[in-house]
Amino acid sequence: MQKLVKRAAQAQRQATRRAQQRMEQENIDNRIRNRQALRSAVSEVRQNLKDARQARKEDWEMGPLAPKRDLGFNNYGAFKESVRQDWTNYGLHQARPQLVEKRCAWAGGVRQLNLAPQDRVVILDGPDKGKIDRIKDVQAENGTVTLEVHHRALSVGMFDNPARSQSMPISIDSIRLVYPITDPETGITKDVIINQLKAVPPNMQSSNMSLDRWQFGKKWDRLVPSLNKVIPWPEVEVPEFEATKSDTVREQVEERTFYYNLLAPPMPDQVLDELRNKYSRFRTRHEPWYIEQKEMEEAAKKGRLEAIKSMQTPLEEFHERQRELRDTVGELELPEEMLERIGEFMAKKKEIALNHAGMSEVSAQTPTQ
């Protein structure tokens, strides 16, 4: 059994080492791909600047005869996929945690982001500043959102496909939530820009929390701290599921088909074999018959070794007795007389070395000023 345990431990170490090497290689490949993509993006930006300078020169010199670049058939002003990447990230899809937390600070943070699709927001930065739009999608891992109408650009794609209008991700820090609130004094309802949101536990009596929202939406309420008012979430569309022949319905899952007692395993042996792979090298628990078989093999191997030892030559028997004697005696200790002689010899060698260097023992021990 010791051989089986050693084999499982060795296989585990080898698998761990291979996983670490695979992860290191993936990191190297990601850095290489990111470097190439960044180089391509910089080259494209330089080409765009060069084209813009050429277009400005032609517009100035040719006047009405200048080519019409705003017709859309020549991909003028379109960006490629490499330029659309967020280069503030670690790679192409993973953002820095500090940057994401800063972007989502006003909306409650990354863990409890108080924004959802179909929320009305106002844009604070860029050419669409001051316009109101609805959120199309939320990318909480990068701290960005995409809008339905505004903040779009022409995208060419990787294979120079025809340009198409595509939503560009915008930072959550560049938008604010817009919600109609009634003034208690005047009774007038108007859109209000909300600059801060806070996540609070749901209050089933006062909020619009429902079973659909709890299952398919956010599991908390969003509160405006300055007004102490709960902003309701957008309506949630409950997905419709249709069971097919390959699906396992809930009734089949909850139906009990296996019964066991205290002497039986908690599940059939076939299921155990599927879960732990009975032929795996990492397996540490074995059946009694397999353990008995291995013990019998070890006993037979030990019997063969004993038979071989019975046919040893006198010289081999002498070496065997010497090994057993060394094992029983243990490590030898030097007597005090031998230690004193070794110390005297070391002191004598040190004195000869100091005399040869022109120094005395007292001057060697004195630190220099």
Side-chain angles (χ1 to χ4, degrees), residues 29-43:
D29 296 340
N30 289 335
R31 287 197 295 267
I32 292 175
R33 286 194 298 267
N34 295 344
R35 192 181 301 114
Q36 294 175 353
L38 181 59
R39 188 182 298 113
S40 175
V42 172
S43 176

Side-chain angles (χ1 to χ4, degrees), residues 95-129:
R96 296 180 182 274
Q98 300 85 354
L99 179 62
V100 175
E101 192 64 36
K102 182 179 179 181
R103 291 175 176 176
C104 304
W106 73 270
V110 182
R111 295 183 179 273
Q112 290 183 320
L113 186 63
N114 294 307
L115 292 176
Q118 298 303 317
D119 272 335
R120 296 174 66 240
V121 295
V122 60
I123 303 175
L124 302 181
D125 299 329
D128 297 328
K129 181 178 180 180

